[in-house]
Every structure is written in C-alpha cells, then in structure tokens.
Amino acid sequence: MDDPADIVSFSKKLLSGGYYQKDELQADKPYRIFNTWMGDPSKNLFLAEVLNVIRRENLLEEVTRSGKALLNGLYELQAQYPGLLSRARGQGTFCAIDLCDTATRDRLLLQARDKGVHLGGCGDVSIRFRPALVFKEYHVHIFLNIFNDILAQNK
C-alpha cells in the first residue's frame, strides 16, 4: 500500500485477536502490551477446525453465490425505492446500502429487528450486512422479502 495504516487490529471472526503495526511503532520490550490482543493459544485449535469446516462445506463458494444474490436484490430494491435507497455496494455477503436519512435508517433497523432480522447501522445513513458464512441463497430471498415489506411500509 502507498500509505498503510499505522496499526490494524482484528478479532472475533478469527476466534482470536491480534494487531500489527508499522515497524516504528513496535514496542521496545517484549510483552509491553499484554492484554486481550495477545490472544489465547487454545483458540488456534478452534480456528483450525473452523477453517476445516469452511473448506469441507465449500462455504466460500456459498458466500460468493449468496453475496451475488444479496447485492442483486439490493440493486433491485434500490431501483424500486429510489426515494429511500441508494448506493448499494458490496463484495461477497459484506454489503451495504444507504438510506435517505438517519431517522429513516434507524426506523428501518428497528422494524427489521421486530421482524427477526438483525442489521447494523453504519455511518450516518448506511445499513450494513454481515451475515455468517452459513448464509445461503434461500436466506437471501427470505431477507429480501422481509426488507421489501418494510420498505413498502415506509415509502
């Protein structure tokens, strides 16, 4: 990268946590930073099995397939509700779409939650989609039908 980040942290989905940084930010003594970022070595056993399941069940292929369906569905809803939705974007199942304003976005998030769909707000007006790796194409269609019903109530 031309201008890399000074420090990057990661955790959760990898069942462990960590960070890396530019060389000039390296602590001058070992274990100077000893906290949850040091991770738990036993979690590597869990992570190894998670990676085996991802391979064995072809979950990356599933994510590619369901992600395309999700993004195409968001494009369709964006065309159907241009006053509410814009800027659908994503890769795999990591997608987002913008709402017309913060109040509308927040209202839709609550309505989705009331229908059993957990979505996250992001920034001022975006909704982000971060489903699990087991999110299949039929789940996409269930979600899109629910989201369409919510949008229809708010147009």
Side-chain angles (χ1 to χ4, degrees):
M1 297 174 65
D2 292 333
D3 186 25
D6 292 335
I7 299 174
V8 176
S9 64
F10 59 91
S11 69
K12 296 188 181 176
K13 299 275 182 172
L14 293 176
L15 301 176
S16 185
Y19 64 93
Y20 55 93
Q21 73 283 326
K22 290 182 175 179
D23 289 339
E24 60 265 24
L25 297 176
Q26 178 67 37
D28 61 352
K29 293 186 175 59
Y31 299 103
R32 189 114 192 221
I33 301 173
F34 192 77
N35 58 27
T36 56
W37 295 114
M38 295 302 288
D40 176 355
S42 69
K43 296 295 189 276
N44 288 329
L45 296 172
F46 294 134
L47 177 57
E49 184 55 27
V50 167
L51 294 174
N52 287 334
V53 169
I54 288 170
R55 285 186 209 99
R56 187 172 57 243
E57 296 185 15
N58 298 314
L59 294 180
L60 295 182
E61 292 173 20
E62 287 290 338
V63 167
T64 300
R65 192 170 22 263
S66 59
K68 284 180 185 174
L70 176 59
L71 190 55
N72 287 334
L74 292 175
Y75 286 143
E76 289 174 15
L77 290 173
Q78 176 178 283
Q80 189 176 348
Y81 300 100
L84 288 174
L85 302 175
S86 64
R87 296 187 60 232
R89 57 207 180 269
Q91 184 168 352
T93 54
F94 279 30
C95 295
I97 195 160
D98 288 352
L99 278 291
C100 57
D101 57 55
T102 304
T104 302
R105 189 269 316 266
D106 293 346
R107 185 173 62 251
L108 289 176
L109 290 175
L110 289 173
Q111 291 171 339
R113 186 199 64 199
D114 290 345
K115 293 184 177 283
V117 177
H118 180 71
L119 299 170
C122 184
D124 293 330
V125 296
S126 297
I127 292 177
R128 65 182 185 156
F129 304 87
R130 301 292 186 271
L133 287 174
V134 294
F135 189 71
K136 298 192 183 300
E137 195 169 348
Y138 74 89
H139 295 118
V140 172
H141 299 299
I142 293 168
F143 162 71
L144 291 172
N145 286 333
I146 293 170
F147 198 49
N148 182 57
D149 291 345
I150 293 167
L151 291 166
Q153 294 170 4
N154 286 275
K155 66 178 180 175

